[in-house]
Each structure stands twice: as structure tokens, then as C-alpha cells.
Amino acid sequence: MESTTVGFDALNLIDPICRAVNEEGYTSPTPIQQKSIPHLLQGLDLLGCAQTGTGKTAAFALPIMQHLSENHQHTGSGAARALVLAPTRELACQISDSFETYGRHLNLKHCVVYGGVSLKPQIRSLRKGVDVLIATPGRLMDLYRQKYLRLDKIEVFVLDEADRMLDMGFLPDIKKIYDMIPKKRQSMLFSATLPPEIMRLTKLFLNDPVQVSVNPPASTVDRIDQRVLFVERENKNALLESVLQDDSVERALVFARTKHGANRIVKNLSRLRIKADTIHGNKSQTARMDALRKFRAGKVRVLVATDIVARGLDVDGITHVINYELPNEAESYVHRVGRTARAGATGVALSFCDA
């Protein structure tokens, strides 16, 4: 049977963008990209219901870069032309990496700003003006209040993982930011779920939006071998140790419910000479990035995390996700186990369940 997939060039994307995408080994767009890119290239507003792992970052990044490079303008000091808001530093950095990768043949400047690190390098990057600014809401407000940043030149605005933004209490900041940017602009809102609060936000932010919805490809979950292991709480450490003795566990992401719990697991593993590190909200941004880098490079075999990183963490080759403690919501479980079996690979998800 003939495939109906189209290539990126069929989406009317300019050659420098198609080249960069092809160099990354992507030959055909994902469903969210196929559905979104044509509308976004026409300048329409968009409401996208999609989870991480569906290719939504490229779905908004490619049209933004095309618009900015075809309508080139100098922004002036402290200004940006496109603003992408993300809930966490990790996600902001990943989005920034995507702009870097897909924009490598374009002459566009981008900058990422987030809290937990020094303001100085971020102020330096903004001083000359940028085409794309990727930011977490708190740091964006800081820079704006201190007059290092202007938002009067924004032509495109993206709110990514809007449901997560609301969960994290960013709504007041988002509304303030909305009031600061020009009314005449293109806007996009992406969310994994569409509860009533998000729909209200949509009415405020978006002008007659196209609505695009993709269920994450079920094949991801089909490719995950999911198992529950019943175990008394005091025996969980011993069980984790025996699971990690297996050589097939090449790269494991272990989820704990609390930061202290995560630290405790790493301490126990280091006694057993198993290389592990943690990533959670109490760690400085530098420490988080360092832990991620070692995990990606294979220097650390086990990364112990809290739910703050369950969404949006994109590390290739995670063979096992282990729920040392089960999450409270089903949705968190889906996000956690979705860190494995990405990009066509298979994976194993083990859940330790006590009474």
C-alpha cells in the first residue's frame, strides 16, 4: 500500500529550513506538524491540543522562523520579535535547542531566559535585540520590570504547555505578559489537556483560532512493556538494586514523589557503586543541566527525578522508566512512562506498588 506521508518541502517551507530538518534525519512531518504548519504559515492563530513527543515544538518553530526570515526587521536593544513562554527551564532550553538546530541556515538570533541563574549573561544576550525569545514567565517579568526587555515589537506569541503553566500558578504573570505585548500579532496556545480554564484563556489570547488536536501516537504506549511489581515499602531499595543488576537496563529514569526521596535513592545507589544523579526543583539550574548532560552522555546510568521533569524531558535511549513511587494522577503516569520508547524505540516501564 502506498504511503500518504508528505515531505517537509510539500508544506511550503523555505529551503534553508527543509535542509536543516533533513540534516536531522526527519523526512516526513508528524501529524501535528502536517496539521499546524500550513495554517501558521498563513498567519492564523492556533489552539493545539498535543502532548510532548508529538513534534509540537517544530510545529510552531518552523513557521515562526520562516515568518521572521521573510520579513526581516531590526528589533533594537532589548526587544524581541517572537516570544515563546514555557513553564520550566528544561522545556525552555529544549525549545531553544530546536530553534538552534532548525535555524542553522538562517540568520536569526534567539535567546533563552529562565530563573535560578545569573541575570547578567541573559541581559547581555538581550542587549543587541533578538528575533526569538524563549522564556519562563518569572524571569521574563524580572527582566521586564528592570527595563532590560521590551515587548512592544512582538509579532508572534506562543504559550506552550498551557495546562502545566496553570498548575504551576503562572496565570497572573501570563495575564500581565499578555497585556504588555502588541494586540496585532499571531498567537498560538499548546496544551496536553483542554480544561475549562484553558478554554477561557484561549478566548482571551487567540483570535478566531484554528483548532488542531492530535492524540499522541498510541504506538508509543504499545511499544512500552508496562509491568507492576508489588513490594513492601521497606523492600523497595532492594528491589531497585536487583532491577539495576540487569545489564539490559542501560539508561534508567527513576521517579520519586519528593525531592528528599529522590536524594535518598541516589545516596543508596552510590553505596552500591551505581552511578546515579538527581534532578528536581531544589537543584540549581546549573546542577540540573549538569545531571542531564551526564545522563545523556552515559556517564550516569540512573537519573532520579520528581514529576517536575516528567513532561518535556527528551533524552534518547532511556531503556527503563521506574516508578519507585506511583504518581497521584493517571496523567502523570502517562507523561512519566512516555520518557521511554521515543522516536521508534521500545522501552520498559516498571512500577513499584506497595500496600
Side-chain angles (χ1 to χ4, degrees), residues 177-250:
I177 292 162
Y178 166 79
D179 287 334
M180 297 177 212
I181 57 180
K183 293 291 162 266
K184 189 177 181 305
R185 53 151 210 275
Q186 181 181 22
S187 302
M188 305 159 215
L189 184 149
F190 289 88
S191 188
T193 55
L194 296 176
E197 302 90 328
I198 296 287
M199 297 315 287
R200 279 199 288 279
L201 208 55
T202 303
K203 287 197 171 63
L204 176 71
F205 274 29
L206 305 177
N207 177 24
D208 194 17
V210 175
Q211 192 164 339
V212 166
S213 180
V214 293
N215 293 325
S219 50
T220 311
V221 178
D222 297 342
R223 286 196 296 268
I224 301 175
D225 176 6
Q226 300 178 64
R227 304 178 192 185
V228 178
L229 305 175
F230 293 98
V231 55
E232 291 305 324
R233 185 171 300 165
E234 59 272 17
N235 296 335
K236 281 187 177 183
N237 271 328
L239 178 59
L240 182 62
E241 182 191 344
S242 83
V243 165
L244 294 173
Q245 302 292 332
D246 184 341
D247 290 342
S248 72
V249 185
E250 291 167 32

Side-chain angles (χ1 to χ4, degrees), residues 24-86:
E24 285 305 296
Y26 299 119
T27 50
S28 53
T30 66
I32 184 93
Q33 292 161 3
Q34 277 192 38
K35 290 177 177 179
S36 307
I37 290 173
H39 295 301
L40 293 174
L41 289 175
Q42 288 172 26
L44 301 172
D45 282 11
L46 184 115
L47 169 61
C49 184
Q51 296 183 351
T52 54
T54 52
K56 70 177 160 70
T57 305
F60 64 75
L62 305 184
I64 287 175
M65 291 190 295
Q66 181 144 324
H67 166 79
L68 297 177
S69 64
E70 287 182 334
N71 308 280
H72 213 78
Q73 284 166 32
H74 185 61
T75 43
S77 178
R81 297 176 62 202
L83 172 63
V84 181
L85 276 190

Side-chain angles (χ1 to χ4, degrees), residues 26-331:
Y26 299 119
T27 50
S28 53
T30 66
I32 184 93
Q33 292 161 3
Q34 277 192 38
K35 290 177 177 179
S36 307
I37 290 173
H39 295 301
L40 293 174
L41 289 175
Q42 288 172 26
L44 301 172
D45 282 11
L46 184 115
L47 169 61
C49 184
Q51 296 183 351
T52 54
T54 52
K56 70 177 160 70
T57 305
F60 64 75
L62 305 184
I64 287 175
M65 291 190 295
Q66 181 144 324
H67 166 79
L68 297 177
S69 64
E70 287 182 334
N71 308 280
H72 213 78
Q73 284 166 32
H74 185 61
T75 43
S77 178
R81 297 176 62 202
L83 172 63
V84 181
L85 276 190
T88 64
R89 316 161 194 194
E90 283 76 22
L91 184 62
C93 290
Q94 268 171 229
I95 294 169
S96 169
D97 290 346
S98 294
F99 274 97
E100 177 82 26
T101 302
Y102 302 131
R104 63 164 73 112
H105 302 304
L106 295 167
N107 188 18
L108 294 173
K109 290 200 293 273
H110 74 280
C111 163
V112 57
V113 301
Y114 44 77
V117 293
S118 160
L119 274 164
K120 283 196 186 103
Q122 298 180 356
I123 294 165
R124 259 201 313 278
S125 303
L126 283 169
R127 195 163 281 146
K128 302 180 193 75
V130 294
D131 295 291
V132 182
L133 175 63
I134 302 118
T136 53
R139 179 51 60 100
L140 184 83
M141 293 299 292
D142 281 351
L143 288 160
Y144 184 84
R145 282 194 201 102
Q146 295 181 45
K147 303 217 169 11
Y148 292 118
L149 173 66
R150 290 172 30 214
L151 295 171
D152 57 332
K153 292 272 196 282
I154 298 292
E155 300 162 40
V156 189
F157 175 60
V158 181
L159 193 58
D160 196 14
E161 301 214 344
D163 49 354
R164 182 100 185 273
M165 295 264 201
L166 265 57
D167 290 346
M168 292 172 75
F170 284 135
L171 189 59
D173 279 351
I174 290 168
K175 285 188 165 157
K176 284 188 193 119
I177 292 162
Y178 166 79
D179 287 334
M180 297 177 212
I181 57 180
K183 293 291 162 266
K184 189 177 181 305
R185 53 151 210 275
Q186 181 181 22
S187 302
M188 305 159 215
L189 184 149
F190 289 88
S191 188
T193 55
L194 296 176
E197 302 90 328
I198 296 287
M199 297 315 287
R200 279 199 288 279
L201 208 55
T202 303
K203 287 197 171 63
L204 176 71
F205 274 29
L206 305 177
N207 177 24
D208 194 17
V210 175
Q211 192 164 339
V212 166
S213 180
V214 293
N215 293 325
S219 50
T220 311
V221 178
D222 297 342
R223 286 196 296 268
I224 301 175
D225 176 6
Q226 300 178 64
R227 304 178 192 185
V228 178
L229 305 175
F230 293 98
V231 55
E232 291 305 324
R233 185 171 300 165
E234 59 272 17
N235 296 335
K236 281 187 177 183
N237 271 328
L239 178 59
L240 182 62
E241 182 191 344
S242 83
V243 165
L244 294 173
Q245 302 292 332
D246 184 341
D247 290 342
S248 72
V249 185
E250 291 167 32
R251 193 170 286 171
L253 181 58
V254 177
F255 279 104
R257 197 172 285 155
T258 65
K259 300 160 194 173
H260 304 300
N263 291 337
R264 242 192 338 266
I265 294 168
V266 167
K267 215 178 239 162
N268 288 328
L269 291 175
S270 68
R271 281 197 203 108
L272 302 164
R273 299 214 157 87
I274 292 171
K275 286 185 174 163
D277 208 338
T278 56
I279 181 164
H280 54 60
N282 267 9
K283 293 199 111 175
S284 73
Q285 183 55 23
T286 321
R288 286 199 214 180
M289 289 315 211
D290 195 44
L292 259 180
R293 202 183 62 246
K294 285 184 190 148
F295 187 53
R296 277 204 173 99
K299 287 179 182 154
V300 164
R301 185 172 155 226
V302 182
L303 188 63
V304 185
T306 54
D307 273 322
I308 186 162
V309 297
R311 287 202 202 191
L313 183 73
D314 198 356
V315 174
D316 286 338
I318 293 177
T319 54
H320 291 67
V321 169
I322 300 169
N323 289 307
Y324 190 88
E325 287 154 323
L326 282 163
N328 295 326
E329 300 94 29
E331 203 183 322

